[in-house]
Amino acid sequence: MAMAALRREGRRLAPLISPRTITAVRSSPLYPTLEDEGPLGVRHISTQVVRNRMKSVKNIQKITKAMKMVAASKLRAIQTKTENSRGLWQPFTALLGDLPSADVKKNVVVTISSDKGLCGGINSTSVKISKGLHKLNSATGPEKETKYVILGEKAKAQLVRDSKKDIELIITELQKNPLNYTQVSVLADEILKNVEYDALRIVFNKFQSVVSFVPTVSTVLSTEIVEREAESGGKLGDLDSYEVEGGETKGEILQNLAEFQFSCTMFNAVLENACSEQGARMSAMDSSSRNAGDMLDRLTLTYNRTRQASITTELIEIISGASALEG
Amino acid sequence: MLRRALGLLPRPIAAARARSFSTDLPAAHTADATFMEAWNKVMPNTDPPKTPLSFMHPRPPTPSSIPPKLTVNFVLPYASELSTKEVDMVIVPATTGQMGVLPGHVATIAELKPGVLSVHEGSETTKYFVSSGFVFIHANSFADIIAVEAVPLDQIDANLVQKGLADFTQKLSSATTELEKAEAQIGIDVHSALNSALTG
């Protein structure tokens, strides 16, 4: 700051001493002052700062536009797969119904989220719903426990902060290879092997349209709970009327059924969440590039104002100097 | 919040306002009431999540007389082959053998083994080779067939089937661990089923 003051002092004396020697003394790039040098040591207000900001904002706008295009193309690819997989979970719901309010001791909440960020609020919604389910289950009684199985980095970051002891499994880098049923069924197998459960609740964002993603919870009940609910009547009451073909015991077939149901619902859930992620990223990047455009307009106005002000100042100085010489 | 407001409007308006893709089913407003109540008690400021029931068409109840046609939904993870198609009969490869399903069949849950699924509609038959899966037959003459893989029979190459069978038979004889033996056995089962599907 002292150097800048000295420089300013030097410049004020400049027109009296020698106009040419001072042109070597420029503001160094390390100390950008708002004052610029012109011929005859006339001072301009510098537009450098504004120009730098404009350049960086323009770059941000280009990058976010590109990210939006990338997300749009990825969305197109995965959307057809998702729509085709929507028929997969319906037979299970038609047979076994949908009982999110079933009273169970061991709940497992499978939270599906994305690995990459910049996708709007979908991951926060999923985590909020998962925590809500945890609260819901704990509110019904003291011996109820809720464990988390986390798919994706973003949910992991949020849940590790306050629910570290409840997390059973964390799975990341799901979308490294294109999503397919084999991969998801292996994953489902891992989860079923390693986690004890009475009810599995899969939390994901269902893809309604490019701008709308609905948080959804799919419940898969274990065979014991299904039998308990069937016996007590209600929604699953007529499950007993179904004859079970094959196998040594009915329980074996129902066990296979529960596992198959879990892998099918997981497949659909993972695809829907991936679709929602791309759609949310598209809209986030779109609003971001629009904001960058607005900011660029405002900066351009400021730049022009500053530039015109400095030109006016220069003119005034020259003209008043000239008229002082004449008069 | 808007969704709940929409729920108060009559159904046709709500359906017209819901902007969704044609392949998606309209969100029916039947949701689990106990779940919604319990949720609103614990988390009053957040909307409860939707459940799959609200995304499904409700199934028709069991009719008093046997309907003339069987309605079949045949789904795979990557496509819905047949969706609410009305047919005369389907023959499914259950673990207990080939099972014929006609309208009015008793409600059944059956696991499938690798084999041929044939759909009979009038005079034409479509045959698929399915890897495995489940079939649910409901009392209202709806049949849901869920398979992991299915191919129409004309897309199967006989030479590759023979080669695969020979490969797996050789693997079984050279297998050491239980896991390898089981894998080789599964390979043999599938390939011999493929073989009999092509010849039979």
Side-chain angles (χ1 to χ4, degrees):
Chain A
M1 292 303 112
M3 282 201 62
L6 276 173
R7 252 184 273 123
R8 256 182 264 131
E9 288 300 314
R11 268 197 237 116
R12 243 184 264 131
L13 300 169
L16 307 172
I17 305 173
S18 161
R20 241 142 293 245
T21 55
I22 315 295
T23 46
V25 179
R26 303 213 65 120
S27 334
S28 84
L30 296 172
Y31 301 89
T33 59
L34 285 172
E35 293 199 343
D36 213 8
E37 267 289 333
L40 305 176
V42 178
R43 289 169 299 172
H44 302 301
I45 304 192
S46 170
T47 53
Q48 189 63 31
V49 176
V50 182
R51 244 181 300 150
N52 285 340
R53 269 207 94 181
M54 278 172 67
K55 199 161 58 151
S56 65
V57 169
K58 207 185 295 183
N59 284 337
I60 288 177
Q61 189 184 32
K62 280 193 209 152
I63 291 172
T64 49
K65 266 210 190 115
M67 283 184 75
K68 178 185 167 197
M69 294 291 117
V70 168
S73 72
K74 286 198 179 155
L75 177 71
R76 246 196 311 265
I78 207 168
Q79 199 177 324
T80 31
K81 269 183 164 181
T82 308
E83 286 174 7
N84 288 335
S85 81
R86 278 200 178 132
L88 198 59
W89 54 264
Q90 287 175 20
F92 294 104
T93 315
L95 178 75
L96 297 169
D98 187 26
L99 294 159
S101 52
D103 201 18
V104 289
K105 284 223 191 63
K106 298 208 193 98
N107 284 293
V108 177
V109 175
V110 182
T111 316
I112 306 188
S113 67
S114 63
D115 283 331
K116 304 209 182 107
L118 295 179
C119 49
I122 54 168
N123 293 321
S124 307
T125 351
S126 290
V127 170
K128 212 168 26 159
I129 304 278
S130 312
K131 289 194 181 156
L133 285 173
H134 185 114
K135 251 209 258 179
L136 193 78
N137 292 318
S138 333
T140 49
E143 75 283 354
K144 309 282 164 66
E145 50 170 67
T146 317
K147 297 272 174 198
Y148 292 108
V149 170
I150 303 176
L151 270 78
E153 288 278 351
K154 293 290 150 188
K156 166 181 154 196
Q158 292 189 32
L159 283 172
V160 142
R161 234 182 284 145
D162 46 5
S163 315
K164 194 157 187 194
K165 54 179 175 44
D166 285 332
I167 300 178
E168 283 275 348
L169 271 183
I170 302 177
I171 299 153
T172 52
E173 294 202 2
L174 200 62
Q175 296 204 38
K176 216 155 143 193
N177 305 316
L179 291 168
N180 58 1
Y181 184 70
T182 326
Q183 174 193 31
V184 175
S185 60
V186 167
L187 199 67
D189 200 30
E190 280 296 315
I191 298 176
L192 289 171
K193 263 196 300 203
N194 293 323
V195 182
E196 282 185 21
Y197 68 99
D198 282 336
L200 289 148
R201 296 173 205 274
I202 310 174
V203 176
F204 62 102
N205 293 84
K206 193 171 163 73
F207 182 77
Q208 296 272 64
S209 77
V210 182
V211 294
S212 140
F213 324 106
V214 183
T216 319
V217 111
S218 291
T219 319
V220 175
L221 301 169
S222 73
T223 12
E224 295 92 29
I225 305 293
V226 167
E227 292 202 4
R228 190 190 76 188
E229 293 286 329
E231 275 160 33
S232 66
K235 293 206 190 135
L236 281 184
D238 42 355
L239 190 64
D240 277 335
S241 65
Y242 283 81
E243 283 217 9
V244 178
E245 289 263 341
E248 278 106 40
T249 60
K250 180 174 168 179
E252 206 185 293
I253 304 284
L254 288 181
Q255 176 71 11
N256 288 345
L257 184 66
E259 293 179 1
F260 193 42
Q261 180 187 11
F262 181 53
S263 78
C264 287
T265 4
M266 271 292 278
F267 182 61
N268 178 249
V270 166
L271 279 177
E272 299 265 2
N273 205 61
C275 247
S276 307
E277 176 200 338
Q278 299 300 342
R281 188 166 293 129
M282 253 182 83
S283 60
M285 291 297 105
D286 182 47
S287 55
S288 172
S289 53
R290 208 170 306 129
N291 283 343
D294 288 343
M295 200 184 263
L296 197 59
D297 288 339
R298 276 202 308 272
L299 284 172
T300 313
L301 289 174
T302 318
Y303 174 72
N304 285 331
R305 260 204 305 273
T306 325
R307 193 178 47 88
Q308 288 163 356
S310 82
I311 291 173
T312 316
T313 324
E314 193 184 333
L315 284 170
I316 289 177
E317 288 187 1
I318 293 172
I319 293 172
S320 56
S323 65
L325 284 175
E326 281 172 26
Chain B
M1 207 170 56
L2 195 58
R3 277 237 150 76
R4 252 185 262 149
L6 281 177
L8 299 172
L9 293 169
R11 264 281 216 119
I13 303 179
R17 289 195 64 172
R19 284 184 291 143
S20 45
F21 288 106
S22 56
T23 52
D24 198 5
L25 300 168
H29 297 283
T30 55
D32 201 340
T34 20
F35 179 65
M36 308 261 278
E37 275 172 36
W39 179 272
N40 284 324
K41 258 192 279 177
V42 206
M43 306 258 292
N45 299 323
T46 328
D47 276 340
K50 289 249 164 2
T51 51
L53 208 58
S54 41
F55 296 114
M56 254 193 82
H57 275 312
R59 292 286 175 87
T62 314
S64 43
S65 64
I66 299 177
K69 294 265 196 185
L70 185 69
T71 323
V72 168
N73 288 323
F74 179 29
V75 287
L76 301 166
Y78 50 84
S80 286
E81 274 297 323
L82 302 170
S83 139
T84 52
K85 183 146 187 250
E86 306 243 322
V87 294
D88 296 321
M89 175 175 78
V90 286
I91 304 183
V92 293
T95 39
T96 48
Q98 296 279 1
M99 187 164 79
V101 183
L102 288 157
H105 197 283
V106 68
T108 313
I109 303 173
E111 202 177 335
L112 301 175
K113 68 167 193 252
V116 178
L117 169 83
S118 49
V119 177
H120 299 261
E121 166 65 20
S123 54
E124 33 175 80
T125 317
T126 343
K127 290 196 179 176
Y128 302 92
F129 184 84
V130 301
S131 62
S132 54
F134 267 86
V135 63
F136 308 143
I137 306 169
H138 302 277
N140 52 7
S141 293
F142 262 72
D144 292 315
I145 310 170
I146 314 148
V148 176
E149 265 295 342
V151 278
L153 278 186
D154 43 17
Q155 291 181 10
I156 305 178
D157 185 349
N159 299 325
L160 286 177
V161 171
Q162 296 294 353
K163 198 159 119 4
L165 189 59
D167 268 342
F168 277 104
T169 329
Q170 196 242 341
K171 268 197 203 149
L172 181 64
S173 48
S174 66
T176 44
T177 64
E178 281 297 322
L179 182 64
E180 282 176 32
K181 279 204 192 110
E183 285 177 8
Q185 189 60 47
I186 294 174
I188 291 183
D189 285 341
V190 172
H191 281 86
S192 27
L194 272 167
N195 218 358
S196 49
L198 289 174
T199 51

